[in-house]
Amino acid sequence: QVTLWLNKIYGNQPVPQYEVNARTIDILYELVECSEARDRDVSLLIEDMKQKATEYEAEANYLQGLLAESLDLSLSSLSSKGTSYHSVLVNSAMTLETKDTSLASCFSAINEMTSELYATEAKNREMELELSDLRKKLTAAVMLERQLEEDLKKTEEFLEVEEAKDESRSQHLKFLKDKSENLKTNIEAAEVQLAALGLDQSLTHESLVSLSE
């Protein structure tokens, strides 16, 4: 069945080579079933359209004969204005999708389309209001974003200045610590040197301050 279907699909052209195994055969068989189902649906649709065309043609012939018998009227006997009116009536009925060209059907279709038009216009107005609201919100969001960007930029600049100040303070503090350590070393060295020279402890700064008090 798969082979017959492939030959039918490709016709006079050779069928491309493919690996024959259970999986490929299953897939091809599913394609065969889908294709045949689609062909059946298309055939039914064609038959239905043919049937409707036959029915429409019979109805048109009946109406044409009725007009010819009762009113001795046919499309060929209409004046140019009558033919124009007839075309307008037919086009209007087709546009309005009415079942016939009676005034009742046309008015009913016009009322229905008018209601749909009003509903569509109301929906459009509602959507315009929503769109306007969204635009306002979007504008506010954009302005807020810009303000946040400016604030962020100012904050970054402030942090850079503060970081520079902190760096300067750190360097100054390090200088003071180094200077203090250097002075302590010098003082200790001077005390050792003075002690080696036999400095009288009563002449030290602390002793002199105590004596002065």
Side-chain angles (χ1 to χ4, degrees):
Q1 188 175 357
V2 169
T3 303
L4 292 175
W5 178 74
L6 289 174
N7 291 330
K8 177 183 177 182
I9 292 297
Y10 285 95
N12 297 328
Q13 298 180 359
V15 177
Q17 296 293 328
Y18 63 93
E19 183 180 353
V20 179
N21 54 46
R23 176 173 173 76
T24 56
I25 294 300
D26 288 341
I27 294 174
L28 288 173
Y29 185 73
E30 290 181 2
L31 291 176
V32 171
E33 291 184 334
C34 291
S35 177
E36 291 179 349
R38 183 191 61 184
D39 291 342
R40 287 193 298 270
D41 292 341
V42 171
S43 298
L44 292 175
L45 180 61
I46 292 174
E47 291 299 325
D48 182 62
M49 293 180 69
K50 287 182 179 180
Q51 180 67 25
K52 288 183 178 179
T54 303
E55 293 174 358
Y56 291 154
E57 185 177 0
E59 185 177 0
N61 292 332
Y62 169 75
L63 293 175
Q64 188 174 358
L66 185 63
L67 289 174
E69 291 178 4
S70 60
L71 301 176
D72 192 20
L73 185 64
S74 66
L75 290 177
S76 59
S77 64
L78 291 176
S79 63
S80 59
K81 184 178 291 187
T83 303
S84 176
Y85 289 160
H86 177 268
S87 298
V88 170
L89 182 60
V90 172
N91 291 332
S92 299
M94 294 180 65
T95 302
L96 295 173
E97 298 181 353
T98 60
K99 63 179 181 179
D100 52 44
T101 57
S102 65
L103 291 178
S105 297
C106 290
F107 286 153
S108 176
I110 290 173
N111 289 334
E112 184 178 352
M113 293 187 70
T114 302
S115 299
E116 292 179 356
L117 177 61
Y118 288 155
T120 303
E121 289 178 347
K123 185 65 175 179
N124 288 340
R125 288 193 294 269
E126 182 180 351
M127 293 180 65
E128 286 177 358
L129 291 175
E130 292 179 357
L131 181 60
S132 177
D133 186 49
L134 288 175
R135 285 176 177 170
K136 291 179 181 179
K137 291 181 179 179
L138 179 60
T139 301
V142 171
M143 294 179 64
L144 178 61
E145 181 182 7
R146 291 178 179 175
Q147 184 63 41
L148 290 175
E149 289 177 351
E150 292 179 359
D151 293 342
L152 179 60
K153 183 178 179 180
K154 292 179 180 179
T155 303
E156 290 176 347
E157 293 175 352
F158 176 76
L159 289 176
E160 290 178 357
V161 172
E162 290 299 317
E163 287 177 356
K165 290 181 179 179
D166 289 340
E167 181 65 23
S168 176
R169 293 191 189 100
S170 298
Q171 292 179 357
H172 185 64
L173 180 60
K174 184 176 183 301
F175 170 77
L176 292 177
K177 287 181 178 180
D178 295 340
K179 188 69 174 178
S180 175
E181 293 295 332
N182 187 28
L183 289 174
K184 286 181 180 180
T185 303
N186 292 337
I187 290 172
E188 290 176 355
E191 289 177 348
V192 171
Q193 186 177 5
L194 289 174
L197 294 175
L199 174 64
D200 187 356
Q201 291 298 322
S202 62
L203 299 178
T204 62
H205 177 71
E206 293 179 357
S207 300
L208 292 176
V209 169
S210 299
L211 180 60
S212 173
E213 290 176 352

